[in-house]
Amino acid sequence: MTLAATTELAAATNEHLANLSNTLIYSAMAVYTLAFFAYITEWIFGSRSKIGRTAAALTEGADGKVKAPAVTVKKGGSTAVLERPKVVVRAAAGQRDVPDGPGAHGGDEQGDLYGRIAVSLTVLAFLIELAGVIARAASVERAPWGNMYEFNITFSTVAVGVYLTLLALRKNVRWLGLFLITSVLLDLGIAVTVLYTASDQLVPALHSYWLYIHVSTAILCGAVFYVGAVSTILYLFKDSYENKLANGGKPGSFATSFLERLPASASLDKFSYRVNAAVFPLWTFTIIAGAIWAGDAWGRYWGWDPKETWAFITWVAYACYLHARATAGWKGRKAAYLALLAFGCWLFNYYGVNIFVSGKHSYAGV
């Protein structure tokens, strides 16, 4: 076979793989959509469940402390008593015991079934999307994150992977499913409509093994930061809900039905802190790896390029958040605002800098 024929065959193979990748990404979006509706159904059944409302209600024991009641469920003509939710203590000022909610299904058996179906669909969609990312990598014969389209599809895959890993570790995170899948669908929608870029080779500066190290860790950090941001936002809503109840207020029926099923605000606050703290050392390594790569590619380790500057600003923001929690004793809403500010810096570093600011990292366009 001649060199020209070999080149033509390789080009045709790469084009076929690129088309396969696109098909798999669209298929994953379809399955994610089914999972989205299953998560919605889980929340709907949970909102109709008196069991869920009972499990989340606060009752005062004989010792004057707030405790979680036991929950009875009728099943098959008999009555079973479920283990009452674990009681946790809020870390914010004004200590009070608040039980974790029963979850999106609200203790409803049918709601729980739809929740399990949603998780199964999420696993299937994740595997399909992962195959799409791998096919994209094979079509370009490199790591699949040379432009914003590839970064987006890889980022959403990793974010779902983080969620499924936490579920596999038996962490109480199924309440994240609806919010995660909603944002993943938005992310993929933007990727295939606005950010799509045909398969192409990298510019010379990116031909380095540091591409695999630096960008892969950046994607993983972003996925974990995102999970922390979602839990932080939900914490703010749940904290307001608990404060209103504590002050004798009566939240609306929708807020009550939705928020009572989430973990206690203290649990959400602790969860967001732990995930942010766990990934922060990796984000530090990401910046260091990027500096080393810049030294190899451009002959200088740091040049205050917009991307470098905002990566450092993001690092400082998360460092302030963790420092405030560890030394100044900031917990609760003040720490949550700092965490969201830090995640906002990460988002701007990715979308804002890539789209609106020119610099050495603008080589890939979108």
Side-chain angles (χ1 to χ4, degrees), residues 38-56 71 73 82-83 85 100-119 163 167 172-178 257-258 260-263:
Y39 281 117
I40 285 287
T41 305
E42 178 188 19
W43 280 94
I44 290 175
F45 275 105
S47 67
R48 297 168 53 188
S49 171
K50 292 182 179 180
I51 301 167
R53 288 192 290 273
T54 302
V71 185
V73 182
L82 300 181
E83 181 181 355
D100 285 341
H105 54 80
D108 182 85
E109 183 181 358
Q110 200 167 10
D112 180 66
L113 173 62
Y114 279 102
R116 294 178 185 276
I117 292 173
V119 172
Y163 167 67
L167 282 178
N172 177 23
V173 295
R174 202 165 89 183
W175 45 270
L176 267 174
L178 176 61
S257 174
F258 172 76
E260 70 183 3
R261 286 176 277 157
L262 293 175

Side-chain angles (χ1 to χ4, degrees), residues 310-311 313-315 317-318 340-350:
W310 275 95
I313 290 174
T314 302
W315 185 90
Y318 274 107
L340 291 181
L341 175 64
F343 184 70
C345 292
W346 187 92
L347 282 179
F348 183 79
N349 182 39
Y350 174 50

Side-chain angles (χ1 to χ4, degrees), residues 24-359:
L24 289 170
I25 294 300
Y26 279 107
S27 299
M29 292 177 65
V31 181
Y32 278 133
T33 302
L34 294 177
F36 169 80
F37 285 115
Y39 281 117
I40 285 287
T41 305
E42 178 188 19
W43 280 94
I44 290 175
F45 275 105
S47 67
R48 297 168 53 188
S49 171
K50 292 182 179 180
I51 301 167
R53 288 192 290 273
T54 302
L58 303 181
T59 60
E60 187 172 305
D63 57 358
K65 292 185 177 180
V66 179
K67 295 182 178 179
V71 185
T72 58
V73 182
K74 290 185 177 180
K75 183 178 179 181
S78 60
T79 301
V81 179
L82 300 181
E83 181 181 355
R84 72 186 186 185
K86 181 181 178 181
V87 177
V88 297
V89 179
R90 292 189 62 207
Q95 300 280 329
R96 64 174 182 266
D97 293 341
V98 178
D100 285 341
H105 54 80
D108 182 85
E109 183 181 358
Q110 200 167 10
D112 180 66
L113 173 62
Y114 279 102
R116 294 178 185 276
I117 292 173
V119 172
S120 299
L121 289 171
T122 302
V123 172
L124 176 60
F126 166 76
L127 294 175
I128 295 173
E129 186 181 10
L130 178 61
V133 172
I134 294 173
R136 176 76 177 199
S139 72
V140 293
E141 300 177 356
R142 57 167 172 79
W145 42 72
N147 50 60
M148 287 187 69
Y149 167 73
E150 294 173 356
F151 192 100
N152 266 42
I153 62 174
T154 307
F155 171 78
S156 59
T157 304
V158 174
V160 176
V162 170
Y163 167 67
L164 294 177
T165 300
L166 291 173
L167 282 178
L169 294 174
R170 300 186 180 278
K171 302 298 182 181
N172 177 23
V173 295
R174 202 165 89 183
W175 45 270
L176 267 174
L178 176 61
F179 313 101
L180 175 69
I181 298 307
T182 300
S183 58
V184 164
L185 283 171
L186 291 174
D187 177 77
L188 291 177
I190 293 173
V192 300
T193 57
V194 179
L195 302 177
Y196 181 77
T197 304
S199 299
D200 200 0
Q201 294 304 310
L202 297 173
V203 298
L206 292 182
H207 285 289
S208 171
Y209 60 87
W210 284 106
L211 172 69
Y212 296 88
I213 300 173
H214 171 65
V215 184
S216 63
T217 54
I219 291 173
L220 178 58
C221 290
V224 178
F225 282 148
Y226 167 75
V227 170
V230 172
S231 59
T232 299
I233 292 172
L234 293 177
Y235 157 76
L236 291 173
F237 282 105
K238 187 62 181 279
D239 184 65
S240 296
Y241 172 77
E242 291 178 1
N243 286 336
K244 192 167 187 177
L245 287 177
N247 294 327
K250 185 178 181 181
S253 57
F254 175 78
T256 299
S257 174
F258 172 76
L259 294 172
E260 70 183 3
R261 286 176 277 157
L262 293 175
S265 61
S267 298
L268 291 170
D269 184 42
K270 184 185 298 182
F271 175 76
S272 60
Y273 169 67
R274 285 180 173 176
V275 296
N276 287 328
V279 81
F280 181 74
L282 188 60
W283 181 247
T284 304
F285 170 78
T286 301
I287 296 176
I288 295 173
I292 297 173
W293 187 11
D296 290 342
W298 300 316
R300 53 65 169 176
Y301 294 101
W302 195 269
W304 296 105
D305 181 76
K307 177 70 73 172
E308 297 168 353
T309 301
W310 275 95
F312 179 68
I313 290 174
T314 302
W315 185 90
V316 170
Y318 274 107
C320 289
Y321 162 70
L322 297 175
H323 179 74
R325 290 274 314 218
T327 60
W330 276 26
K331 295 179 176 64
R333 302 187 72 86
K334 291 188 294 184
Y337 294 140
L338 267 179
L340 291 181
L341 175 64
F343 184 70
C345 292
W346 187 92
L347 282 179
F348 183 79
N349 182 39
Y350 174 50
Y351 286 102
V353 173
N354 284 11
I355 296 175
F356 302 112
V357 183
S358 297

